[in-house]
Amino acid sequence: MMEKQKKFVTRFAPSPNGWLHLGHAYSALYAARQAAAHDGVFLLRIEDIDTGRARAHFVDGIYQDLDWLGLTWPEPVLMQSTRFDTYQGALGNLRDRDLVYPCWASRAEIAAEIQAMPGGAENWPRDPDGAPVYPGIYRDINTQQRQSLMWRGGSYAWRLRMDRAIAEAEKLNGGPLFFTELSDGTPQQVAVEAQLFGDVVLARKDVPTSYHLSVVIDDAEQNITHVTRGRDLIAATHIHRVLQLLLDLPEPHYFHHGLVRDISGRRLSKQAGDAGFRGLRQDGYSRENVIASLPAPIGSGAPL
Ligand code: GLU
């Protein structure tokens, strides 16, 4: 008998800490069109774990802007800020297996530690996103030292013991890890190189989870079969694949689409203060104009 194919489910998962820009419009339309092409479902998820930066008016802005683009999605929308207990449970599971450790290091302490290494900061390895790899402070302290730091009461993050995590994930997988990338048209098996990231943070000092932990849990919770997102997040997928194995979560496939760039070729970003496309709407541009201005395959790249 033929195996029944799982229904195609994808999502757009913005963080409400700024207005959506044209890169988000492209990403949301890309996901919705993939869903339509596969007779599947397009979901919206609000990734509002960063309680210091998330704002209710940005959540409203997301709904209004996506609605203006002509998108629809099933209700209720999953809000990550309602799910801290679930993320805590998963972290507890990893803690019980000694796959994470508490880390009290401040940014300044980490920078000083790296600077003091024989080759200095210039020769210290960087992860695929360009950040210096965590130098392992607090990783190998003994139980007594850890307990006395706990007693002192300072805030701490939880970091993944990456070498052990990979070894465990490979054991569970029965061999080396890969993820499936579909954006080139034919499926590519990408070898997982999560070791390049070192001991990443899974729960921050100020937030009891992290992007990496909550995204894999919620992609599973929402039965996402295909993750669509920008190519800027492809490196993170190496970490996600390890976590999926460790937490016994199903494996989605990935479309990491190209990024929208401005006229000078720079990619758009909230950090750089790129204007939201709601501004274009207020300036009188029509939905058709805005969509046409996006790169192919969504628009034609026609200037606004
Ligand atoms: N919330 C993330 C962002 O806004 C995207 C997460 C994802 O698509 O995996 O950058």
Side-chain angles (χ1 to χ4, degrees):
M1 212 173 75
M2 264 218 339
E3 203 192 317
K4 195 168 170 289
Q5 275 237 311
K6 268 204 271 175
K7 189 160 184 75
F8 184 109
V9 185
T10 191
R11 82 311 191 270
F12 175 58
S15 305
N17 45 30
W19 302 115
L20 297 187
H21 55 60
L22 286 174
H24 293 111
Y26 181 84
S27 198
L29 288 162
Y30 189 101
R33 291 197 188 170
Q34 284 292 346
H38 293 89
D39 191 22
V41 182
F42 166 75
L43 297 179
L44 174 63
R45 175 165 78 231
I46 302 290
E47 299 211 326
D48 56 349
I49 55 168
D50 195 343
T51 44
R53 288 167 69 214
R55 296 285 177 271
H57 61 273
F58 290 137
V59 176
D60 292 341
I62 290 169
Y63 296 145
Q64 289 157 9
D65 290 347
L66 296 183
D67 183 51
W68 184 75
L69 284 176
L71 296 175
T72 56
W73 53 89
E75 302 275 352
V77 169
L78 187 147
M79 309 284 294
Q80 288 194 321
S81 58
T82 62
R83 291 177 45 77
F84 285 120
D85 288 351
T86 303
Y87 310 139
Q88 277 291 304
L91 188 71
N93 169 335
L94 298 174
R95 198 173 49 224
D96 293 346
R97 293 151 72 194
D98 207 13
L99 292 169
V100 289
Y101 63 93
C103 167
W104 286 265
S106 64
R107 274 171 208 265
E109 203 177 338
I110 296 171
E113 179 87 3
I114 292 174
Q115 192 56 49
M117 293 289 174
E122 304 74 62
N123 294 304
W124 187 252
R126 290 182 175 260
D127 71 20
D129 290 330
V133 171
Y134 180 68
I137 325 167
Y138 300 109
R139 180 191 158 102
D140 298 314
I141 57 174
N142 63 36
T143 313
Q144 213 181 348
Q145 288 169 314
R146 194 160 282 144
Q147 268 165 5
S148 80
L149 282 162
M150 288 275 178
W151 274 108
R152 260 199 245 162
S155 55
Y156 52 87
W158 286 95
R159 287 184 181 270
L160 188 63
R161 266 182 209 282
M162 190 57 94
D163 51 356
R164 205 178 282 178
I166 294 173
E168 178 70 13
E170 289 187 343
K171 200 166 87 190
L172 291 164
N173 193 44
L177 309 184
F178 294 87
F179 67 85
T180 305
E181 177 62 43
L182 299 172
S183 58
D184 289 341
T186 48
Q188 311 282 324
Q189 295 300 309
V190 182
V192 167
E193 296 187 301
Q195 70 283 357
L196 299 177
F197 284 88
D199 293 351
V200 290
V201 169
L202 288 195
R204 289 163 33 173
K205 285 183 180 177
D206 56 336
V207 173
T209 184
S210 61
Y211 162 59
H212 299 309
L213 186 61
S214 39
V215 79
V216 295
I217 292 174
D218 288 341
D219 282 337
E221 169 72 19
Q222 297 191 288
N223 299 312
I224 302 297
T225 58
H226 292 77
V227 170
T228 29
R229 60 185 175 206
R231 216 158 269 174
D232 53 334
L233 288 170
I234 196 165
T237 306
H238 293 252
I239 302 166
H240 299 174
R241 193 67 204 105
V242 172
L243 292 175
Q244 285 156 0
L245 262 306
L246 295 179
L247 297 170
D248 197 19
L249 303 173
E251 177 189 3
H253 288 176
Y254 291 88
F255 287 96
H256 289 101
H257 57 70
L259 302 172
V260 179
R261 297 179 186 276
D262 69 9
I263 297 167
S264 67
R266 186 182 58 85
R267 80 173 164 89
L268 300 179
S269 85
K270 265 184 269 193
Q271 277 76 12
D274 282 308
F277 67 88
R278 58 177 26 230
L280 297 171
R281 176 166 103 213
Q282 282 149 9
D283 289 348
Y285 287 95
S286 69
R287 175 200 318 183
E288 288 70 28
N289 292 150
V290 170
I291 295 179
S293 78
L294 296 170
I298 302 303
S300 63
L304 275 170

